[in-house]
């Protein structure tokens, strides 16, 4: 297959103009690096969540999905060390005052260095060495690194005093850890088992950007998988494979995916192993899609100590009590969606012109089926005969605007796998024309056979 090489900006412009993503608060001039998902992006996000749920939750007997609160007791973040340590290294160019993350700037200009394992002092030495230049003005003089707290603070209650300071969660994971006992007890769960959720997380990133790759508000799909201590490496390998199988299942290009194991220096002191799955985004290059971390019993231990609660598990096989160890597979929904959209985008040369087509996996596409009456005179009949039938099974769109050729192109450009055209003959022969997005082939199908036909096509 021909290697596709589209500019990131060309793809994101298409996503904005076709209704996948909109600049947030656009009528007020927007707000920097903040995005709203339009109808197409929202549909696709919902499909992605559903496929993630099917793969990791409902097809697995021992994974329980919960929906914890975004604002938690601030003691949670004291216990985990987020209040003390959840910082990014911030620097400003002394000449043009542009602001950067020191580690990102070094990574971009000295890719041979293992920046993720460097301490603040090590980063500072490199920044002040005169070997790193400002990407905006080219000068090499920066302020010393300041640590920038990434958690968003807010207050609860009627007075804005210190006692009521709370934080928007910077990760969904802690809602899972603090509910370990609740889930284990109420669901009579036996190890090994997992708790997971899908929800928003908030980080005051120093350098948000690259469209939806790095935002201040994003969605995570996380699992904490609990097991008997000592089985860490076995379960780590198991979850690595599960995650790889998942990214393959949703159709990401295998050549643009790679595992990146964290080096021993990069690992948190409690972690036995951590690895990321990275995706090669057009123009941006390799970036983290998701992470799999072996967290030992660090989080449960911290919460047990700080809350004074017994979070141990009673193992009925030998009556021993212990804190389970944990593997955490953590997906970023927005980055996954962005990777899928970049992968799917294509501009195909045809005999007379060209078409934009999004080769999105059929089950993930924003709309499964477009219903297209050939003439406005057929709108009522098409709605009556097709809308209820098709929309009961698929996300469908009913489009009556423009020539049929233009409508096909519009559906190709948003990735709709099948267009069902209702024409004047349909009134007589009770049949419709089904057009395939990828091959552009058309087939005449009896309306009475249509759902069976589509089912077969969606499950090919
Ligand atoms: P990065 O190194 O890129 O900042 P991270 O290692 O801090 O990411 P994790 O804390 O491991 O990220 O979060 C798990 C997942 O959440 C990431 O793999 C990513 O997909 C997603 N994620 C993290 N930060 C953001 C963000 N600011 N915007 C969008 N997605 C994010």
């Amino acid at each position: 297959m021909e290697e596709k090489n589209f500019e990131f900006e060309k793809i994101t412009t298409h996503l904005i103009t076709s209704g996948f993503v909109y600049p947030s608060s656009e009528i007020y001039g927007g707000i920097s690096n903040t995005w709203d998902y339009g109808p197409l992006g929202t549909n696709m996000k919902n499909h992605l969540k559903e496929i993630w749920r099917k793969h990791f939750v409902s097809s697995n007997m021992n994974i329980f999905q919960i929906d914890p609160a975004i604002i938690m007791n601030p003691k949670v973040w004291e216990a985990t060390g987020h209040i003390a340590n959840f910082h990014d290294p911030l620097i400003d160019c002394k000449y043009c005052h542009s602001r950067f993350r020191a580690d990102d700037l070094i990574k971009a200009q000295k890719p041979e260095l293992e920046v993720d394992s460097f301490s603040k002092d090590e980063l500072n030495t490199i920044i002040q060495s005169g070997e790193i230049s400002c990407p905006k003005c080219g000068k090499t003089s920066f302020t010393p690194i300041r640590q920038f707290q990434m958690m968003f603070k807010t207050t609860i209650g009627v007075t804005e005093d210190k006692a009521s300071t709370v934080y928007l969660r910077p990760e969904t994971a802690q809602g899972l850890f603090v509910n370990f006992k609740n889930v284990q007890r109420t669901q009579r769960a036996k190890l090994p088992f997992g708790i997971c959720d899908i929800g928003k997380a908030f980080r005051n990133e120093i350098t948000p950007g690259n469209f939806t790759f790095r935002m201040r508000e994003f969605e995570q799909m996380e699992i904490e998988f609990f097991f008997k201590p000592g089985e860490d490496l076995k379960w780590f390998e198991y979850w690595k494979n599960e995650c790889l199988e998942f990214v393959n299942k949703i159709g990401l290009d295998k050549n643009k995916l790679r595992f990146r194991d964290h080096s021993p220096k990069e690992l948190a002191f409690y972690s036995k192993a951590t690895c990321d799955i990275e995706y090669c985004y057009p123009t941006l290059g390799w970036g983290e899609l998701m992470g799999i971390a072996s967290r030992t019993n660090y989080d449960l231990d911290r919460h047990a100590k700080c809350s004074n609660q017994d979070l141990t598990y009673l193992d009925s096989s030998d009556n021993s009590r212990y804190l389970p160890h944990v593997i955490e597979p953590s997906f970023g929904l927005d980055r996954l969606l962005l990777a899928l959209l970049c992968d799917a985008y294509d501009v195909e040369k045809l005999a007379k012109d060209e078409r934009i087509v999004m080769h999105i996996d059929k089950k993930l596409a924003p709309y499964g089926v477009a219903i297209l009456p050939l003439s406005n005179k057929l709108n009522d009949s098409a709605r009556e005969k097709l809308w209820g039938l098709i929309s009961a099974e698929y996300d469908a769109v009913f489009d009556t605007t423009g020539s049929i050729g233009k409508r096909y192109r519009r559906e190709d450009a948003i990735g709709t796998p099948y267009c069902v055209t209702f024409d004047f003959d349909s009134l007589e022969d009770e049949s419709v024309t089904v057009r395939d997005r990828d091959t552009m082939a058309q087939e005449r199908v009896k309306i009475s056979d249509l759902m069976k036909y589509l089912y077969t096509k969606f499950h090919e």
Side-chain angles (χ1 to χ4, degrees), residues 203 205 213-215 218 220 288-291 330 332 335:
R203 296 182 190 175
E205 298 273 3
F213 181 84
R214 188 174 299 287
M215 298 187 285
F218 55 96
Q220 293 185 312
E288 177 178 330
L289 197 60
M290 62 90 53
S330 170
R335 286 190 192 174

Side-chain angles (χ1 to χ4, degrees), residues 171-185:
E171 60 180 29
T172 62
Q174 297 309 324
L176 308 177
F177 285 115
V178 298
N179 277 299
F180 167 71
K181 262 274 134 121
N182 286 339
V183 174
Q184 193 267 316
R185 201 175 44 232

Side-chain angles (χ1 to χ4, degrees), residues 177-178 180-181 299-305 307 309-313 321-324:
F177 285 115
V178 298
F180 167 71
K181 262 274 134 121
D299 305 82
L300 285 182
D301 184 49
R302 292 296 304 150
H303 289 309
K305 287 192 173 117
S307 66
Q309 301 284 322
D310 178 7
L311 299 182
T312 54
Y313 171 80
R321 266 195 178 278
Y322 50 80
L323 283 174

Side-chain angles (χ1 to χ4, degrees), residues 67-73 77 167-171 199-202:
D67 186 13
I70 286 173
I71 295 175
M72 304 173 76
N73 188 318
W77 309 112
Y167 301 89
L168 302 189
R169 64 182 180 195
E171 60 180 29
K200 287 242 172 168
F202 304 82

Side-chain angles (χ1 to χ4, degrees), residues 13-301:
T13 303
H14 174 66
L15 297 179
I16 293 169
T17 50
S18 53
F20 282 89
V21 176
Y22 304 126
S24 183
S25 335
E26 194 178 9
I27 59 167
Y28 288 101
I31 166 165
S32 72
N33 297 304
T34 309
W35 302 95
D36 296 342
Y37 284 95
L40 309 184
T42 306
N43 272 9
M44 213 171 144
K45 258 194 353 172
N46 285 338
H47 297 160
L48 196 48
K49 286 182 203 176
E50 198 40 45
I51 290 183
W52 180 88
R53 249 182 59 75
K54 279 223 172 81
H55 184 87
F56 290 105
V57 188
S58 40
S59 61
N60 205 315
M61 285 201 304
N62 260 345
I63 308 280
F64 303 93
Q65 185 174 1
I66 64 170
D67 186 13
I70 286 173
I71 295 175
M72 304 173 76
N73 188 318
K75 287 182 184 157
V76 168
W77 309 112
E78 275 169 37
T80 56
H82 278 83
I83 290 180
N85 300 322
F86 198 55
H87 296 134
D88 262 353
L90 172 74
I91 51 168
D92 293 324
C93 169
K94 282 192 182 163
Y95 286 88
C96 71
H97 305 294
S98 298
R99 181 157 285 183
F100 303 101
R101 253 177 76 168
D103 51 345
D104 281 353
L105 206 55
I106 301 172
K107 249 186 227 173
Q109 297 183 24
K110 289 186 170 285
E112 70 282 7
L113 296 180
E114 265 196 30
V115 177
D116 289 326
S117 62
F118 288 178
S119 66
K120 179 187 158 201
D121 288 344
E122 286 171 313
L123 292 175
N124 219 2
T125 309
I126 302 171
I127 287 293
Q128 305 304 339
S129 68
E131 290 175 25
I132 301 293
S133 57
C134 170
K136 293 268 166 62
C137 70
K139 298 282 191 328
T140 57
S141 189
F142 296 95
T143 57
I145 290 176
R146 280 163 292 148
Q147 295 291 33
F148 176 77
Q149 169 56 260
M150 289 172 71
M151 282 201 294
F152 281 102
K153 257 189 209 169
T154 186
T155 51
I156 49 169
V158 282
T159 57
E160 288 198 5
D161 62 2
K162 197 162 172 276
S164 57
T165 294
V166 288
Y167 301 89
L168 302 189
R169 64 182 180 195
E171 60 180 29
T172 62
Q174 297 309 324
L176 308 177
F177 285 115
V178 298
N179 277 299
F180 167 71
K181 262 274 134 121
N182 286 339
V183 174
Q184 193 267 316
R185 201 175 44 232
T186 58
Q187 306 307 301
R188 298 162 304 284
K190 291 207 180 341
L191 291 184
F193 73 91
I195 311 179
C196 71
D197 74 342
I198 300 176
K200 287 242 172 168
F202 304 82
R203 296 182 190 175
N204 200 1
E205 298 273 3
I206 297 176
T207 50
N210 292 334
F211 201 53
T212 54
F213 181 84
R214 188 174 299 287
M215 298 187 285
R216 297 188 193 90
E217 175 180 340
F218 55 96
E219 231 168 327
Q220 293 185 312
M221 305 188 286
E222 297 201 290
I223 304 173
E224 303 303 334
F225 187 76
F226 301 93
F227 52 85
K228 190 172 183 170
E231 299 174 349
D232 304 60
L233 292 179
K234 173 181 107 182
W235 288 116
F236 185 67
E237 283 308 313
Y238 172 87
W239 284 105
K240 259 174 92 167
N241 285 332
E242 278 289 297
C243 293
L244 188 62
E245 205 180 286
F246 176 72
V247 290
N248 288 333
K249 182 191 259 180
I250 58 176
L252 281 173
D253 181 348
K254 287 193 177 67
N255 297 317
K256 293 192 180 140
L257 290 168
R258 71 178 184 195
F259 276 122
R260 191 184 73 80
D261 287 314
H262 288 207
S263 67
K265 224 181 144 195
E266 218 180 310
L267 288 179
F269 67 90
Y270 52 80
S271 177
K272 284 194 190 298
T274 294
C275 113
D276 297 335
I277 296 183
E278 296 186 332
Y279 175 81
C280 191
Y281 292 87
T283 313
L284 314 183
W286 292 100
E288 177 178 330
L289 197 60
M290 62 90 53
I292 306 146
S294 149
R295 302 184 63 90
T296 60
N297 64 10
Y298 174 74
D299 305 82
L300 285 182
D301 184 49

Side-chain angles (χ1 to χ4, degrees), residues 29 39 370 435:
R435 177 184 175 274

Side-chain angles (χ1 to χ4, degrees), residues 250-390:
I250 58 176
L252 281 173
D253 181 348
K254 287 193 177 67
N255 297 317
K256 293 192 180 140
L257 290 168
R258 71 178 184 195
F259 276 122
R260 191 184 73 80
D261 287 314
H262 288 207
S263 67
K265 224 181 144 195
E266 218 180 310
L267 288 179
F269 67 90
Y270 52 80
S271 177
K272 284 194 190 298
T274 294
C275 113
D276 297 335
I277 296 183
E278 296 186 332
Y279 175 81
C280 191
Y281 292 87
T283 313
L284 314 183
W286 292 100
E288 177 178 330
L289 197 60
M290 62 90 53
I292 306 146
S294 149
R295 302 184 63 90
T296 60
N297 64 10
Y298 174 74
D299 305 82
L300 285 182
D301 184 49
R302 292 296 304 150
H303 289 309
K305 287 192 173 117
C306 297
S307 66
N308 250 330
Q309 301 284 322
D310 178 7
L311 299 182
T312 54
Y313 171 80
L314 174 62
D315 190 330
S316 56
S317 67
D318 58 4
N319 271 338
S320 61
R321 266 195 178 278
Y322 50 80
L323 283 174
H325 279 202
V326 168
I327 302 292
E328 175 190 83
S330 170
F331 278 96
L333 182 57
D334 309 87
R335 286 190 192 174
L336 203 53
L337 183 61
L338 183 60
L340 283 163
L341 291 167
C342 290
D343 239 20
Y345 182 86
D346 201 1
V347 181
E348 283 179 5
K349 293 228 174 319
L350 304 174
K352 290 196 187 133
D353 56 356
E354 57 178 33
R355 66 167 184 158
I356 296 179
V357 53
M358 300 283 280
H359 293 291
I360 303 169
D361 179 276
K362 291 175 193 175
K363 295 197 186 90
L364 283 171
Y367 297 115
V369 181
I371 303 168
L372 313 177
L374 192 63
S375 148
N376 278 333
K377 293 189 185 118
L378 296 166
N379 290 355
D380 289 346
S381 308
R383 187 174 295 118
E384 193 186 306
K385 295 213 181 275
L386 297 176
W387 180 259
L389 183 73
I390 293 175

